[in-house]
Amino acid sequence: MQNLRTIPMFSKLCDEGIEKLKEISTIRKYNVKEILFYEGEEPLYMHILLSGTLRLYKTNYRGNQIFLHDFKPINLVAELANFENIPYPATAEFSSSGEVMKIDYKKLEENFFKNPDISLNIIKSLASKLKIMSEVVTNEIVLTSDAKVAKFIYENEELFNQLKNTQIASLLNITPETLSRSLAKLKKDEIIKIDEKQNLTILEYEELEKLFV
């Protein structure tokens, strides 16, 4: 097992605490497309993403995936389900190979939650999740499809050129056809440029930002 003090929330644990933590934890490797947990499963473990990228999504009544967030290491994943003792509200799937630390939640709660450093890190993590959910609500309810595309390009110009249009559309919860129409509008208005190799360049940052603020 790796040096657990490299994980911020455990960095100040004493040697005895580290040994107790090892006794209630396992580290597992996952491959691309493997599922960490499914929407509706009971939360028996607290999960800490140590490496790789984890995609969180919900599935609607039509069976379509609604993208929520990509988690990067080092990060707690869906810890609210542990605290509230509710089923996982979404599915977590690896979009790259990775590693996760799985901690027996009941034993973690019994032995470690009185530690102020651990409690503070958990509170910070929950606060960051609230911000993520606020952004999800804004993207899905407030922003139009054109605004979602503009915001994604503005914030992720380099990433945009690394992904396929189908992947970008999936991240934005829109169809590839809708994405193509939005890009065509931006190109026509000379806000962006797309060359013969399909590489995108932002020409007018201020005009692009106006579309989603």
Side-chain angles (χ1 to χ4, degrees), residues 67-78:
F67 171 78
L68 299 177
H69 189 64
D70 271 334
F71 284 102
K72 307 288 185 181
I74 293 174
N75 219 321
L76 286 171
V77 180

Side-chain angles (χ1 to χ4, degrees), residues 9-73:
M9 66 185 295
F10 303 133
S11 62
K12 296 182 180 180
L13 281 181
C14 63
D15 291 343
E16 182 182 356
I18 290 293
E19 290 305 313
K20 282 185 180 179
L21 185 61
K22 287 180 179 179
E23 291 173 4
I24 63 172
S25 307
T26 57
I27 292 180
R28 182 183 162 186
K29 294 183 178 181
Y30 289 82
N31 296 318
V32 178
K33 296 291 185 182
E34 275 199 88
I35 301 295
L36 178 61
F37 53 76
Y38 285 97
E39 182 177 348
E41 277 188 7
E42 294 300 316
L44 301 179
Y45 300 95
M46 176 173 281
H47 297 100
I48 301 178
L49 182 65
L50 301 178
S51 66
T53 303
L54 193 63
R55 182 173 183 264
L56 200 68
Y57 64 85
K58 290 184 70 67
T59 305
N60 66 17
Y61 69 96
R62 293 180 177 176
N64 297 321
Q65 293 181 3
I66 301 173
F67 171 78
L68 299 177
H69 189 64
D70 271 334
F71 284 102
K72 307 288 185 181

